[in-house]
Amino acid sequence: MKISIIGTGHVGLVTGACFAEKGHDVLCADSDAEKISRLRSGVMPFFEPGLDGIVKKHSAAGRLKFGTSVSEAVRHGQAIFISVWTPPLKTGKADLSFVENVCREIAGSLRAGERRLIVEKSTVPVNTARRVLDTLNRYASRDASFSVASNPEFLREGTAVEDTLKPDRIVFGVADAESERTLREIYSAFNAPIIVTDVASAELIKHASNSFLAMKISFINAVSLICEHSGADVTRVAEGMGMDHRIQRAFLNAGIGYGGSCFPKDVSAFIDISRELGYEFRLLEEVERINRDMRTHFFRKIERELWILKGKKIAALGLSFKPGTDDMRMAPSLTVIEELMKEGAAVSAFDPVSIPAARAAFGEKGIREGGLLSFASSAEEACAGAEAVCVFTEWPEIVQADWKTIGESVRTRIVFDGRNCLDATALRAAGWTVKGMGRPMA
Ligand code: UGA
């Protein structure tokens, strides 16, 4: 089928490439002309394992094209997926102005006699589709024919291609049988259970799912604090809890908390839309608070152990909000490193792929390289001469680094493992003080 995707962020580009992989004829449009010209020459706008391979393969085969024009996208696709960003405003509310702008442009390009299915792919608050429909009705010509559906995405950064090609479930929120038929045809080659709902329920499934996962993380992080006070080990607690099939082990890894562009944004947008609809979602407010506090807790742990931070070199290993991505958005490393530098510590940071993104993220905060912040090209280099090592992201390159060499080159063998990813027993046997999260001796 001919499909158009508007917005080539993580969701849009991966979805477009995966539709092409399933045999569809896809046009991805984005208003950023520079990004489109780079994509045309095979340069990916972000790091995502496996993505450049399928983008290049299908671009070469002519099944995946790139453009900058919404009207071209409307002419091309029988279905048009909106996957522009919906960033948080200062209030926590989702900024839907990009969605509205695209809808107005789509409306202006719809033609009589050419039915189009407009699909919400971006994560949006419940009832956004109603607004999308109103906007299309307001700005399209009277004889234009279209429907609006919701088809939320559940891909994770770092495993986005695999998640899209082999999803746990596919959600169709539709208002009519023809929309369902079109979506079923698009997904006919995907081997996954499909749930068909009304449009509002589909929108809610996305916010409720992300918020539930964030709640699991904050729950186990709160339990990790009890573990630290009681001498229990949160990893064993999570294991024991997870053996109950009603609970499940996934997303019970305690640590310095969640980051990224999704959970922080979606939890606050869900709180906001709930309030607008008349419900104070205090449970989720607490999820956010616990998540924020974990960063402070981690910083205090370092401060308690090292006493004076001023003038001390501290190695920061892993900067992105999780492994497998160079995304620095809301990464816990940013907050903690900034606090360390405020206290006068010199931070030497390493990440296998995120250093350019980290430079930009620190730059936005007015923190430049040089002075107290430097970047190293390996974990070993970052740790040489350090008074302590902090692990923020469980990259394999960090977990499997040469800890023997690191142990020989640090000033003092103290490591703060913010992800409980290191072999604490082996490190302790090699003379390290290991401070994990919610574990004995943490
Ligand atoms: C998340 C969801 O998992 C996807 O299903 C969803 O499609 C996506 O948001 C989205 O809305 O687009 P993502 O943000 O890529 O995906 O990353 P996750 O793997 O969910 O991790 C999020 C954060 O939680 C990371 O900082 C990670 O370190 C943290 N986390 C995860 C924990 O602290 N503990 C855990 O047990 C699991």
Side-chain angles (χ1 to χ4, degrees):
M1 188 187 292
K2 282 178 177 274
I3 299 173
S4 293
I5 313 270
I6 300 177
T8 56
H10 234 100
V11 171
L13 184 57
V14 173
T15 305
C18 291
F19 282 161
E21 177 76 6
K22 295 292 186 185
H24 296 299
D25 176 358
V26 182
L27 173 66
C28 289
D30 198 296
S31 55
D32 183 341
E34 213 182 299
K35 191 175 182 188
I36 289 299
S37 106
R38 281 199 303 267
L39 276 165
R40 282 182 177 143
S41 44
V43 180
M44 297 304 108
F46 46 81
F47 174 78
E48 184 59 49
L51 182 64
D52 62 342
I54 55 169
V55 168
K56 283 179 189 151
K57 179 169 93 178
H58 297 297
S59 301
R63 258 193 303 278
L64 181 60
K65 293 183 264 320
F66 296 99
T68 51
S69 147
V70 169
S71 63
E72 193 195 343
V74 173
R75 275 197 307 281
H76 173 88
Q78 187 180 331
I80 298 148
F81 286 76
I82 301 178
S83 56
V84 293
W85 70 328
T86 52
L89 293 166
K90 279 209 174 76
T91 54
K93 195 190 248 331
D95 180 355
L96 298 174
S97 58
F98 300 93
V99 175
E100 197 209 24
N101 282 344
V102 164
C103 290
R104 290 171 65 149
E105 277 194 74
I106 292 175
S109 308
L110 289 166
R111 289 192 193 155
E114 288 179 352
R115 188 170 175 78
R116 293 290 181 257
L117 176 63
I118 318 298
V119 189
E120 260 177 10
K121 195 70 172 160
S122 307
T123 301
V124 288
V126 62
N127 291 340
T128 300
R130 241 196 253 159
R131 293 290 194 177
V132 167
L133 189 62
D134 287 348
T135 309
L136 292 168
N137 278 327
R138 196 165 297 150
Y139 295 98
S141 67
R142 280 173 169 274
D143 44 11
S145 159
F146 55 86
S147 294
V148 174
S150 163
N151 170 222
E153 182 52 62
F154 301 98
L155 61 81
R156 290 162 298 172
E157 290 184 26
T159 50
V161 173
E162 205 189 319
D163 288 348
T164 306
L165 292 173
K166 292 181 202 137
D168 282 352
R169 81 300 208 184
I170 297 170
V171 178
F172 298 161
V174 291
D176 53 71
E178 194 175 337
S179 302
E180 181 180 338
R181 264 198 304 279
T182 307
L183 286 169
R184 281 194 186 277
E185 195 183 327
I186 293 171
Y187 283 96
S188 58
F190 288 69
N191 185 19
I194 289 173
I195 170 168
V196 183
T197 68
D198 58 281
V199 181
S201 301
E203 292 173 321
L204 255 179
I205 287 172
K206 172 69 194 201
H207 260 167
S209 298
N210 269 7
S211 298
F212 189 84
L213 291 171
M215 181 185 74
K216 271 188 102 173
I217 298 170
S218 281
F219 184 87
I220 200 66
N221 282 339
V223 172
S224 82
L225 298 177
I226 306 297
C227 288
E228 290 189 6
H229 291 301
S230 61
D233 183 339
V234 74
T235 61
R236 301 315 307 272
V237 176
E239 202 181 321
M241 287 171 66
M243 286 167 81
D244 184 328
H245 74 277
R246 296 167 304 173
I247 298 176
Q248 304 276 345
R249 174 66 182 80
F251 281 72
L252 288 181
N253 293 324
I256 33 173
Y258 59 79
S261 66
C262 305
F263 287 172
K265 163 175 86 71
D266 291 352
V267 172
S268 65
F270 200 20
I271 293 171
D272 180 83
I273 186 71
S274 304
R275 184 174 300 131
E276 216 173 288
L277 294 170
Y279 177 66
E280 289 293 333
F281 216 142
R282 294 205 180 86
L283 175 65
L284 290 183
E285 288 171 13
E286 195 56 25
V287 165
E288 278 189 326
R289 196 180 64 77
I290 294 170
N291 195 55
R292 262 195 316 271
D293 288 353
M294 290 317 291
R295 299 171 190 211
T296 315
H297 176 67
F298 188 69
F299 170 73
R300 296 249 159 85
K301 210 185 267 263
I302 303 169
E303 201 180 36
R304 239 188 348 262
E305 186 67 24
L306 300 187
W307 186 29
I308 304 296
L309 294 171
K310 194 170 168 198
K312 290 191 174 154
K313 174 177 175 178
I314 296 185
L317 303 186
L319 301 171
S320 52
F321 81 97
K322 66 171 196 174
T325 175
D326 63 350
D327 200 335
M328 289 295 300
R329 283 175 287 180
M330 307 296 279
S333 66
L334 281 173
T335 323
V336 178
I337 290 175
E338 207 183 343
E339 287 301 311
L340 289 170
M341 291 193 305
K342 265 191 207 148
E343 292 301 318
V347 176
S348 170
F350 166 71
D351 187 285
V353 301
S354 316
I355 291 177
R359 268 198 190 101
F362 280 112
E364 272 170 31
K365 289 171 171 281
I367 301 169
R368 308 257 165 255
E369 205 176 341
L372 290 178
L373 178 65
S374 61
F375 293 100
S377 55
S378 67
E380 290 78 3
E381 187 191 321
C383 295
E387 311 252 1
V389 178
C390 300
V391 176
F392 294 105
T393 319
E394 65 277 33
W395 282 97
E397 288 85 342
I398 290 164
V399 177
Q400 292 148 26
D402 183 354
W403 284 93
K404 189 165 178 293
T405 307
I406 292 176
E408 282 155 11
S409 72
V410 289
R411 190 112 192 232
T412 42
R413 294 182 187 180
I414 304 172
V415 60
F416 299 92
D417 182 358
R419 295 290 178 189
N420 287 338
C421 60
L422 302 176
D423 183 345
T425 314
L427 285 170
R428 285 196 183 112
W432 284 82
T433 296
V434 183
K435 297 278 173 188
M437 304 297 280
R439 308 194 72 184
M441 296 184 269

